[in-house]
Each structure stands twice: as C-alpha cells, then as structure tokens.
Amino acid sequence: MPEIKPIKRILIANRGEIALRILRAAHEMGIETVAVHSTADADAMHVRLANHAVCIGPPPAKDSYLNVAAIISAAEIAHCDAIHPGYGFLSENAKFAEIVEAHDIVWIGPKPEHIRTMGDKVEAKRTAGALGLPLVPGSDGAIDTFEQAREIAAQIGYPVLVKAASGGGGRGMKVVPDESQLESLMSQARNEAKSAFGDDTVYLEKYLGNPRHIEFQIFGDGRGHAVHLGERDCSLQRRHQKVLEEAPSPVISAEERDRMGGIVAKAMADMEYRGAGTIEFLWEDGEFYFIEMNTRLQVEHPVTEMITGIDLVREQIRVASGKDLSCTQDEIRFTGHAIECRINAEDAYSFAPSPGKVTAYHAAGGMHVRVDSGIYAGYSIPPYYDSMIAKLIVYGRSREKCMMRLRRALQEMVIEGVKTSIPLHQELIEQDDIRTGDYSIKWLEDWLAERES
Ligand code: ADP
C-alpha cells in the first residue's frame, strides 16, 4: 500500500482565475486554502475567498509569484502541508518542486525529475521517442554548429524550424525557408533563446505546412498506472498563443482517440508519471507528431472536464496525497462537446493590453456555461501580469449545439471599463471554417491578416 499523506491546508502559489479554480476544488474536498499575493493583488478575489492570505512581495513576479524563499516561508508560517503551483510561474520549475519536497511539504505536481526532463525539449523528444511516441522528423538532439545544421536541414528538407531547447511561448523559434537564410535565422534563434531562457541550445525540426495542434490530457499515479482523458484541439492560435480550444477535436474519430490515447497512456505508465500532464502533438494528414509535454495543469483543462465530468484539480490533489486515480480507463466516457474562449484584457484586434478598472461585470450563465475568472465590478486589472482575465467554457451535446450556446453566452458577457477579446470571439464563431471545424494552426493569423487588408 502506498503511503497516504493527508492534505489539510494547501498554499496556492498563483493568482487570477487558476488560483480560484484550485481553491474551489480544495474547498469542495474540505481542504483549507492559503492564498499568496503581491502588493498589486491585495484586492484580488483569490485573496478574499481563501481561508488565509499572505503577502509575498511587490508587484513584479520575480519578487512575488516567483520568489521561492517568500513562498516557502509563507507555507511554513501558515502551516500548509501542500503547495499547488497552478500553471505558469513556478509550475514547471523542477528546483522549486525539489525545495518544496525537501521542506516536507506535498508538491501537487509531477516528480521533479520528470519536470526537468520534459522542460528540456531536446531531452523531452528523446524520452518521447524512447517511449514509442511518433516524433516530428528533425535533428537527433541539440545542434552545435552551423555546418551540422546545414547537413541535417538538407536531409529533412526545407522549410525547417529552429527551436530552443528551453523554449516556451513560441520564443526562440524561427522558420527557415531555405538554406541561404539558415545561418542568420539560427543565430537569431540562439540570441533570442539566450536572452529569454539563459540557454542558447537549439535543435532542428521539419516545419509542417498546415498542421493542427492536438494534445492529449493524461494522468498518472506515479506507480505505473496512467489513463488518458482524450484530446483537445488548440489549433486556433496567434503567435503560438492559444485563443480558443475545444474537445473533442473535430477531426479525431473515437477509434483514433482510443488508439492514440492508449499509446500515450502506456508511455506515461511506463515512465511512472505522477499527476496531470499534457502531451502536445501536431497532426497533419492523419499523422501525429510529438512536439512537447507540459508537466502541469493547462489553461484549457476545463474543456476536458466538461466532456468527461472529471475534476482534474481534485484528481491532482488525490494523486499528490498518494491515493489511486479515481477511475480506470474503462470508466472514462466522452460525452458531447466543449469549447473554451480565452478572454483577455486587450484590444480585440490590435491585441494591445488594456489593464485598468472594470466598471461593470456580468458573467454569462445558464445551463452548461462555466466562467472561470477572478474579476468583479470595481476590480482593477494590474498591468504586471498575463492579460487573460476570464475563460468562458461552454458545453453542448453536439458541436453544433455547443456553438449555438457559445454565441448566446458571448452575447451575455458584460465587461466594461477595459477592452476585451470578446468581439474577436464573436466574429470568429461566425466564420464558416470555425463553424465546420476546418482550421489549422495557420488559420487565425491568415484570417487576421486578410481582415486587416
Ligand atoms: P512553445 O513551448 O514555445 O510553445 P511548442 O513546441 O509547443 O513551443 O510549439 C508551439 C507552436 O509552434 C505549436 O503549437 C505550433 O503552432 C508551432 N510549431 C511547433 N513545432 C512546429 C513544427 N515542427 N512545424 C510547424 N509548426 C510548429
């Protein structure tokens, strides 16, 4: 029998909607919560709703939400027995996970060694390949010299993509159309990676022309059991940032989901992966190509919750405390369709951030409508953090019904005082390609460019 570590009080090392999301799962399990916050977030909803709150520093994230010493001290002072990192900030920091565990605090996340392996994209690709996942053709590991890059690029064929081993958010990534530009684009990618991640290691991949982004949600108990919770289609992206996500993918059949999900779950079981994880693939002409694994909860996790009825944060907490997964693969059923719109405080078309005071707020409601957000009327959106202020998630028995409900829900949302991306979403869901699900990762940028001209 595994050792059960009872969790009575969780420190939530995050802010905004995800801090609330974690708080809700914890409170429903009878677990207390401790919010941490920067001075800019003293009036935030997660601070108000948590059982206790600790201020951990000034507004810049490096002094507060990334301040390891302040967070560990807060956990000790407030007698927390677990820490949930949410997404972003310290969630994929293996060193932080180790420090948490060294303080005898339960880390609600994967084993630190798995965070480390998957955080290095070169290592991640090697590991995924060894576990039997299909890869994008490319260099076998890091590229050291330009000569080496030229040889490999010639083998895989142009266009190629130079990617940073420590990359994230699309940074340190360059598409190289032909050999004449390889040298200059490779050094640009290196410089970008060096300044963004302090690591200029790069590798090469075949640049796929028109793929979809399809990712599988997985869950492991850390002892060799793992399940998959189906896929999410996140192809609607701008500058590699997801804008709208849906589950299931409009192009994946039930048989294909079972087949690929089975491969992914087996890989995670073999690895003895613990907790929630997402395996990201590009998908083109019926083939999957692994690109990376995220060792944390994803922003878009609610669409999976809507079609499976499984609370992923509850599952994370269970597994972290040493319990078994709450269900077997056979018990996981996929029903209906869910779509999430990320609502940002920004101009809908120029994407310029629009922080400031929310003068009026009304969340959409009704059957099968979920709004995950930390804002309220009178709340001032601070300029220091990510611009996402709400997620609107809608469920329907079919994709068509889901789209109809989404249109109605978007119309109901009222956020005044700041600009938001709601008008963009309203326009998007009226487009034929979106209505029929016929879009790739290029679609949104092409559409935006056409709209501009
Ligand atoms: P990051 O960690 O920076 O987000 P990813 O490897 O997850 O990097 O890739 C982000 C996005 O970049 C993908 O969702 C896809 O849109 C695009 N992309 C990545 N690899 C390729 C590739 N080989 N061909 C075409 N597009 C790619």
Side-chain angles (χ1 to χ4, degrees), residues 150-195:
R150 203 173 57 177
E151 259 174 50
I152 293 163
Q155 274 166 28
I156 58 181
Y158 289 89
V160 296
L161 191 61
V162 186
K163 292 173 97 170
S166 309
R171 278 174 303 177
M173 207 149 76
K174 297 280 170 207
V175 183
V176 184
D178 54 54
E179 192 176 301
S180 71
Q181 297 178 59
L182 182 62
E183 191 160 15
S184 73
L185 288 169
M186 190 170 143
S187 57
Q188 275 180 41
R190 268 200 202 284
N191 290 337
E192 220 174 282
K194 181 85 192 163
S195 64

Side-chain angles (χ1 to χ4, degrees), residues 131-258:
L131 289 166
L133 300 181
L135 306 177
V136 187
S139 58
D140 187 18
I143 296 269
D144 298 320
T145 64
F146 166 63
E147 273 312 307
Q148 207 185 340
R150 203 173 57 177
E151 259 174 50
I152 293 163
Q155 274 166 28
I156 58 181
Y158 289 89
V160 296
L161 191 61
V162 186
K163 292 173 97 170
S166 309
R171 278 174 303 177
M173 207 149 76
K174 297 280 170 207
V175 183
V176 184
D178 54 54
E179 192 176 301
S180 71
Q181 297 178 59
L182 182 62
E183 191 160 15
S184 73
L185 288 169
M186 190 170 143
S187 57
Q188 275 180 41
R190 268 200 202 284
N191 290 337
E192 220 174 282
K194 181 85 192 163
S195 64
F197 316 109
D199 169 15
D200 68 356
T201 311
V202 295
Y203 63 105
L204 277 191
E205 238 169 40
K206 169 98 190 136
Y207 181 68
L208 300 175
N210 211 22
R212 296 183 77 114
H213 173 117
I214 298 180
E215 56 184 36
F216 276 82
Q217 175 71 53
I218 60 87
F219 239 101
D221 69 358
R223 301 184 297 273
H225 302 101
V227 295
H228 75 88
L229 285 85
E231 82 286 0
R232 294 182 286 257
D233 197 316
C234 312
S235 302
L236 220 56
Q237 302 180 354
R238 176 181 168 268
R239 298 196 179 157
H240 307 300
Q241 297 294 319
K242 297 162 188 167
V243 171
L244 174 152
E245 303 99 347
E246 58 181 313
S249 165
V251 297
I252 301 297
S253 67
E255 295 72 42
E256 188 60 354
R257 172 172 317 113
D258 287 349

Side-chain angles (χ1 to χ4, degrees), residues 18 154 210 265 277 280 387 405 447:
I18 195 62
N210 211 22
E280 297 191 336
S387 63
R405 182 167 286 131
W447 181 79

